[in-house]
Structure formats: structure tokens, C-alpha cells
Amino acid sequence: GAGPWHDRVWATVERFFEGYLEGITEWVLMPYALPLENLSAWWVQLVAESLGKEARDGTRRGFTPIRAVGPVDQHSQLQRWMAGPRNLGVIVLTVEAEAAAERLDPPAGCPYPRLRDLQGGAILRAQAEGTAEALQGAGVPTLRWSLPAVTEAELGAFMMAWQWIVGLLGFALELDPFDQPAVEDGKKRTFAKLGLV
């Protein structure tokens, strides 16, 4: 109940678990900031390794994490997310801090001359908000997270929050979130093929 994400951790655990019971087995983390692309790769590894397992009763459970970067992937994947199978949720991750000022210079004949009056950060915020609203309007489970800034402390808090979320989800799904036996099997087979064992 404390820390920068105190109320978000349990709410996210509940949303993922409720979604799982409703058939939501895929989740996308979509940051609207290119410096967070590697964070989404870390998140995919955390969720996949920790929550894709066989439960005590022998059933296979878990989530498929999907990595996306808002400005790059929203156009190519949004169609599937909104109009495809209803087994997916999206986490829209934004950064509150203003980026350095930049001048936009639209090409001649651009149908949107007002672009020259906007900063890149304003465009990113509009993309994130528009995408989140469209997803929610289509009935896609959508969570919004915002980092105050891209700093070590904020990234560390986000990563710690997700480690808590994943650990609690593992217990809710009756999985052990702290091992990865299938990955270890692949490593052993790889070493054997290389003649290292």
C-alpha cells in the first residue's frame, strides 16, 4: 500500500485475473516513448517466463505478452486489437515530462498546416489518448500507466511494481512465478547439441 504505484499494483492484478477468467490471455505493453522500447522487451520476458506454466492440477495457464511501441506499431496492430479476436488487452504507457522543444516543418502541400504549431510531445500524447479511447470504445480492456519522467528512479519503480504484479498473479493463477523449467530444458538441450555437457 505504499510507494509510487501503491494503488496500481493490486488493481492491475485484479484486472489481469478478471480478464483471464473472461478469456483475455494476451496483453500488449505499448509505450509512447521510444526510449522505453527496451523496457517493453524486459516486460515481455518477465511476464512470459513467470506466467506461462502448468498449474498444480496439470492445466496450462498464463498470458502471452506482446511488445509494441505506440508511434511505430499502433497503425499496424490496432486493426487486429480492435476488430480481431476478443482475447487481448492493452497497456498504454506514457511519459508526463515534456520532451525538448522541437520545430516541425511539414512538407509543402501537407493537408495539416497546423502541424507546424505543435511539438512532438503533444502529438505523442494525442496518439496515446486517441488510441486508448478507441480501444476502450471497441471494448478492449485497456490500462493506462504514466511515468512522470524517464529516470532511473521512475523506471525502477515501474519495474518493481511489475515484479509484484507478476508474482501476485502467479499465485492467483496457482502457478509458481519464480521458476522457468521449460526454458531450462531448452538450455540443457542447446548445451548438449554443442557438446558442452
Side-chain angles (χ1 to χ4, degrees):
W5 298 111
H6 58 90
D7 56 342
R8 297 302 305 270
V9 169
W10 191 248
T12 302
V13 170
E14 287 182 323
R15 185 62 195 107
F16 265 61
F17 188 69
E18 289 167 3
Y20 182 79
L21 296 177
E22 298 163 1
I24 305 298
T25 58
E26 298 179 9
W27 280 91
V28 179
L29 178 65
M30 187 163 59
Y32 276 82
L34 288 175
L36 298 180
E37 185 173 3
N38 287 335
L39 179 67
S40 62
W42 169 85
W43 178 85
V44 163
Q45 179 182 1
L46 175 70
V47 173
E49 282 185 347
S50 304
L51 297 178
K53 300 196 175 143
E54 194 172 298
R56 291 183 204 108
D57 66 1
T59 59
R60 295 173 182 264
R61 301 179 184 175
F63 300 97
T64 300
I66 299 170
R67 176 182 177 193
V69 177
V72 176
D73 295 314
Q74 72 176 28
H75 179 73
S76 60
Q77 298 191 56
L78 197 57
Q79 175 65 36
R80 182 275 186 240
W81 299 341
M82 291 179 61
R86 292 293 190 205
N87 65 335
L88 178 135
V90 178
I91 304 159
V92 176
L93 177 61
T94 56
V95 178
E96 296 169 18
E98 287 292 328
E102 57 189 332
R103 175 182 161 78
L104 298 179
D105 194 13
C110 175
Y112 307 105
R114 188 172 174 275
L115 279 175
R116 77 178 69 256
D117 302 328
L118 299 173
Q119 296 293 315
I123 294 170
L124 275 179
R125 275 191 301 282
Q127 284 181 316
E129 291 171 14
T131 300
E133 289 173 10
L135 288 163
Q136 289 168 329
V140 176
T142 307
L143 298 174
R144 294 188 193 194
W145 283 61
S146 183
L147 297 176
V150 180
T151 64
E152 290 176 1
E154 296 301 338
L155 292 175
F158 182 85
M159 293 170 81
M160 190 66 227
W162 275 97
Q163 289 176 65
W164 275 103
I165 290 165
V166 166
L168 292 168
L169 269 170
F171 296 135
L173 294 170
E174 299 178 343
L175 305 173
D176 178 356
F178 303 115
D179 70 353
Q180 49 182 24
V183 173
E184 293 306 314
D185 183 48
K187 289 178 185 177
K188 289 175 187 172
R189 291 172 188 266
T190 300
F191 281 129
K193 289 185 181 298
L194 294 170
L196 299 174
V197 288

